[in-house]
Amino acid sequence: MSTIIQVNKVSKSYWRNNLEIPVLQDLTLNVEEGEFLALMGPSGSGKTTLLNLIAGIDRPSKGDLTVAGTDIAKLNESGLAKWRSENVGFVFQFYNLIPVLTAYENVELPLLLTKLSKSERRKHVEATLNIVGLGDRMNHYPKQLSGGQEQRVAIARAVVTDPVILVADEPTGDLDKTSADEILTLMERLNKEFKKTIVMVTHDPHAAERASRLLQLDKGDLVLEPI
Amino acid sequence: MKVFKLIFKNALRHKLRTTLTIFGIAIAVIAFGLLRTVVTIWDSSVDAAGADRLITRQAVSFIFPLPVAYKTKIEAVPGVESVCGAVWFGGTYKDKSNFFARVAMDDNFFELYPEFIVSEEDFNRYKNERNGCIVGKSIADQYNFKVGDIIVLDGDIFPGRWEFVVSGIYLPQNKNTDGTQMLFHYDYLNETIKQNTPGRGDQIFWYIIKIEDIKNSAEISEQIDALFKNSTAETKTETEKAFAQSFVSASGAIITAMNFMSFAIIGIIMLVLANTMVMSARERTREYAVFKTLGFSAIHLTGLILGESMLIACIGGGIGISLLYPIVSGFEQVMPKGFFPFFFIEPITIILAVSSALLIGILAAVFPIHKALNTKIVDGFRFVG
């Protein structure tokens, strides 16, 4: 297995009212291809910030960040947008589906940026929705789905482009236990069966147990790295 | 799924808000079109003036007459092709609200005004009827005048009961030609006046002068006015356009106010649409963050927001323009008859209305686009609307 995510002495600070707030400090971390990594830690520990940096939706203040062979800290906005569309899938705590689009249309969204034809897009979307068990709910709008189903649509949208990495921010944070288990099982399947590298932020120890590796963050630094 | 479908769905997300905004734009376009129509019609009387015609009137005001003897002196000025005397008759046809121009003219009037098309048959009949008159097609249709009908006017400038026979009907050459005039023989008017009030005979209110070369209009005007300098009735000669302009400029403040209002309406409705778009964009801050996360570029987001704004503006503008025609027609019906010699929507009004609707759509989207593009993805996800 090769290293797919290399975080090398990365720091990240935010500015509020001319006050620098350090979030991550000289953090170093490697993630191997095919890993299912869980990030845990108290609120404000920097886990979501780290996830955002890995996903290329935020930029480090300092340090090197290479993901899927690209030094993403050096990409400009449009380059970063293109890189994200080709390499990363996102799963959010609150699903973030577009309410005026059906499940099918939500999953199709990332494919609109590719050169696939309409029929090819349809094939990909249907196959992905079948994988997440929603083949019979393609024409349902988000408000017509349960929370667990919405999250499965969000996962389908994240993986429909066949990205190298899947990042998930509290994917079960808004779900009941049964739905959460279903989502975690689905993510395990994506990791083991479809060889997706997954980085997941969670507060839930049961969710973290499903990962192949667990990291603890506190005050912007790794405090525990169990093998 | 196409981007246009998403734009359409976004526009319909708040149906009531979008509907009200669309109707606001439609009403603004109608108000704009109506005001512009009045303004352009007002100005078109000036535009319709012939470039090769001069008007000579009393230097003080055209309500003071000039001697009929001036005609031969003006005809003798080099560069003058022909001269036609005219007298404003005024009077009332049945009711004061039945307003249309009634003017006594020399018989060569139709040579000077080829845009007033009259058939040879009608003109010959007119020449042979002492109290004959020729009426414009518009008033012939409006009052159902036919050849042979008698028109009775109550005189005010020239008191008495005046009877005229409709000898013919003239057709306006184009939309800008006044089709609401009643023209009759100056000789009939003059002879009758001389019989009733001899002191008021042989007077002309203004002379219409056709010149051979429009380049000489200033020089000829000066020569004509010089002829009558220091006389009891000094003249002022100017182009027909300037003469018409002097009437319009009397209403200049109203026209300027209407012009200002027409564009103020556009400005107000732009703010309404901008408000709608700002609210929509604010509500979708998280969604724009999602789009950016998925890899959609600034161009895509600009297209989504601008497309929605343009869609609303175009639907509103389209409805407004479609309704403008029947509303202008209805407006014409309720206006006092003959108030405007012609009333129609100029193509420039439609062009301005369409351009305004498109401009509104673009400008209303500027701020939401700027906001959406400059909000960081992480800030977008943190946004609580």
Side-chain angles (χ1 to χ4, degrees):
Chain A
M1 278 202 297
S2 60
T3 303
I4 194 162
I5 300 169
Q6 290 176 294
V7 182
N8 187 23
K9 293 188 175 178
V10 162
S11 297
K12 176 69 186 177
S13 302
Y14 291 109
W15 289 86
R16 296 254 164 81
N17 301 325
N18 294 326
L19 191 69
E20 187 179 10
I21 302 165
V23 183
L24 298 175
Q25 294 162 9
D26 286 335
L27 190 139
T28 296
L29 165 72
N30 289 336
V31 179
E32 302 302 317
E33 197 175 349
E35 253 194 299
F36 185 172
L37 173 69
L39 290 170
M40 289 190 78
S43 293
S45 60
K47 53 191 187 301
T48 296
T49 300
L50 177 59
L51 193 76
N52 289 341
L53 294 176
I54 290 170
I57 60 177
D58 204 356
R59 291 170 178 281
S61 307
K62 215 169 66 178
D64 301 320
L65 185 55
T66 303
V67 183
T70 304
D71 185 353
I72 60 172
K74 288 181 180 163
L75 292 176
N76 61 20
E77 279 305 317
S78 60
L80 205 52
K82 189 170 186 297
W83 176 84
R84 281 196 303 268
S85 70
E86 290 168 354
N87 293 283
V88 190
F90 302 83
V91 180
F92 307 96
Q93 181 180 355
F94 299 111
Y95 333 128
N96 284 329
L97 299 177
I98 307 299
V100 291
L101 301 180
T102 62
Y104 178 93
E105 290 166 340
N106 265 288
V107 176
E108 192 189 18
L109 265 183
L111 294 180
L112 295 177
L113 299 171
T114 67
K115 289 177 180 172
L116 293 177
S117 67
K118 192 178 176 182
S119 60
E120 287 171 324
R121 290 202 305 266
R122 172 164 284 280
K123 218 160 75 177
H124 278 73
V125 173
E126 286 176 353
T128 313
L129 279 168
N130 282 326
I131 288 170
V132 300
L134 288 174
D136 57 341
R137 298 292 171 97
M138 287 184 195
N139 296 319
H140 285 59
Y141 286 92
K143 67 182 175 189
Q144 297 169 319
L145 300 171
S146 68
Q149 287 170 330
E150 280 194 75
Q151 193 60 297
R152 280 192 274 162
V153 174
I155 290 172
R157 182 178 66 185
V159 297
V160 72
T161 54
D162 195 22
V164 185
I165 301 157
L166 186 64
V167 295
D169 191 1
E170 305 270 10
T172 58
D174 198 45
L175 298 175
D176 59 59
K177 191 177 179 308
T178 311
S179 299
D181 280 341
E182 284 173 7
I183 293 300
L184 291 167
T185 303
L186 178 59
M187 290 180 71
E188 268 186 318
R189 191 178 160 214
L190 289 170
N191 175 244
K192 286 177 180 159
E193 194 176 323
F194 295 92
K195 310 295 179 200
K196 297 293 169 200
T197 304
I198 299 176
V199 181
M200 176 178 72
V201 163
T202 183
H203 272 110
D204 180 4
H206 297 294
E209 280 173 12
R210 303 288 194 101
S212 57
R213 185 159 64 125
L214 171 65
L215 293 177
Q216 292 276 0
L217 268 91
D218 190 23
K219 294 176 184 170
D221 206 357
L222 290 172
V223 291
L224 181 65
E225 187 171 356
I227 306 297
Chain B
M1 196 214 41
K2 297 285 183 290
V3 173
F4 185 76
K5 192 175 173 185
L6 182 57
I7 290 171
F8 192 74
K9 285 187 168 190
N10 274 340
L12 290 178
R13 214 181 270 206
H14 290 279
K15 290 187 180 66
L16 180 63
R17 186 166 74 195
T18 304
T19 305
L20 291 175
T21 307
I22 284 172
F23 276 101
I25 294 168
I27 289 167
V29 166
I30 290 166
F32 175 81
L34 201 53
L35 286 169
R36 292 296 313 166
T37 297
V38 172
V39 170
T40 51
I41 293 303
W42 212 283
D43 287 341
S44 63
S45 62
V46 176
D47 297 336
D52 60 348
R53 291 191 292 256
L54 304 178
I55 302 289
T56 296
R57 60 175 174 87
Q58 231 267 14
V60 179
S61 167
F62 83 99
I63 63 167
F64 297 110
L66 296 168
V68 74
Y70 280 14
K71 183 175 179 180
T72 48
K73 290 182 181 173
I74 295 170
E75 280 172 339
V77 172
V80 170
E81 195 176 305
S82 55
V83 181
C84 171
V87 173
W88 180 263
F89 180 79
T92 302
Y93 174 65
K94 291 183 181 176
D95 188 271
K96 280 198 180 294
S97 64
N98 295 332
F99 177 81
F100 52 88
R102 296 132 200 164
V103 186
M105 324 285 298
D106 285 332
D107 286 355
N108 63 345
F109 173 82
F110 293 100
E111 291 168 24
L112 272 74
Y113 285 86
E115 62 266 38
F116 286 47
I117 301 166
V118 61
S119 70
E120 197 177 339
E121 185 188 355
D122 282 3
F123 189 67
N124 287 336
R125 192 183 303 115
Y126 172 68
K127 279 201 296 188
N128 294 326
E129 286 174 334
R130 183 172 165 267
N131 64 338
C133 70
I134 291 183
V135 295
K137 175 84 166 59
S138 303
I139 55 167
D141 291 344
Q142 192 175 336
Y143 298 103
N144 202 23
F145 293 148
K146 293 186 293 295
V147 172
D149 284 356
I150 302 291
I151 298 175
V152 179
L153 299 180
D154 279 329
D156 38 31
I157 302 172
F158 304 101
R161 184 176 185 275
W162 296 79
E163 268 192 19
F164 299 90
V165 181
V166 177
S167 307
I169 293 167
Y170 77 80
L171 300 174
Q173 189 181 46
N174 53 50
K175 280 183 168 183
N176 287 346
T177 306
D178 184 357
T180 67
Q181 295 198 27
M182 174 187 167
L183 307 164
F184 58 92
H185 299 288
Y186 169 73
D187 290 344
Y188 170 55
L189 175 73
N190 195 35
E191 286 161 15
T192 310
I193 290 169
K194 280 194 207 171
Q195 284 172 12
N196 299 338
T197 49
R200 293 185 69 188
D202 292 335
Q203 292 181 335
I204 291 291
F205 279 24
W206 69 91
Y207 287 102
I208 304 151
I209 300 150
K210 187 170 185 188
I211 56 173
E212 287 164 358
D213 189 344
I214 58 171
K215 280 185 268 181
N216 299 328
S217 61
E219 193 184 324
I220 293 170
S221 298
E222 282 174 19
Q223 285 180 26
I224 292 170
D225 291 342
L227 283 176
F228 310 111
K229 195 128 181 109
N230 299 322
S231 71
T232 53
E234 291 192 359
T235 59
K236 181 178 180 184
T237 303
E238 58 197 342
T239 60
E240 189 177 55
K241 191 164 190 165
F243 183 68
Q245 187 78 56
S246 66
F247 284 95
V248 174
S249 61
S251 313
I254 298 169
I255 296 299
T256 305
M258 288 172 85
N259 250 328
F260 174 78
M261 278 166 61
S262 67
F263 287 102
I265 287 167
I266 294 299
I268 291 165
I269 201 61
M270 191 192 78
L271 294 177
V272 172
L273 179 60
N275 187 48
T276 299
M277 289 310 301
V278 166
M279 280 197 288
S280 300
R282 184 180 161 82
E283 288 161 4
R284 292 175 207 153
T285 303
R286 286 177 73 91
E287 287 174 31
Y288 295 144
V290 172
F291 277 110
K292 285 184 188 175
T293 303
L294 295 178
F296 284 81
S297 65
I299 292 170
H300 292 115
L301 286 184
T302 301
L304 276 180
I305 300 168
L306 183 62
E308 186 178 344
S309 183
M310 293 296 284
L311 180 68
I312 293 172
C314 287
I315 293 174
I319 292 172
I321 289 166
S322 317
L323 292 176
L324 184 59
Y325 285 91
I327 286 173
V328 163
S329 176
F331 183 78
E332 188 185 9
Q333 301 298 319
V334 299
M335 286 295 289
K337 286 172 184 172
F339 189 84
F340 291 109
F342 37 80
F343 202 76
F344 59 91
I345 302 167
E346 290 268 17
I348 186 69
T349 300
I350 299 299
I351 292 168
L352 278 173
V354 170
S355 309
S356 299
L358 295 177
L359 192 66
I360 285 170
I362 293 168
L363 293 179
V366 169
F367 181 74
I369 289 171
H370 176 78
K371 182 87 175 157
L373 298 188
N374 288 287
T375 301
K376 288 181 180 172
I377 295 175
V378 287
D379 294 333
F381 283 125
R382 283 194 205 111
F383 179 81
V384 179

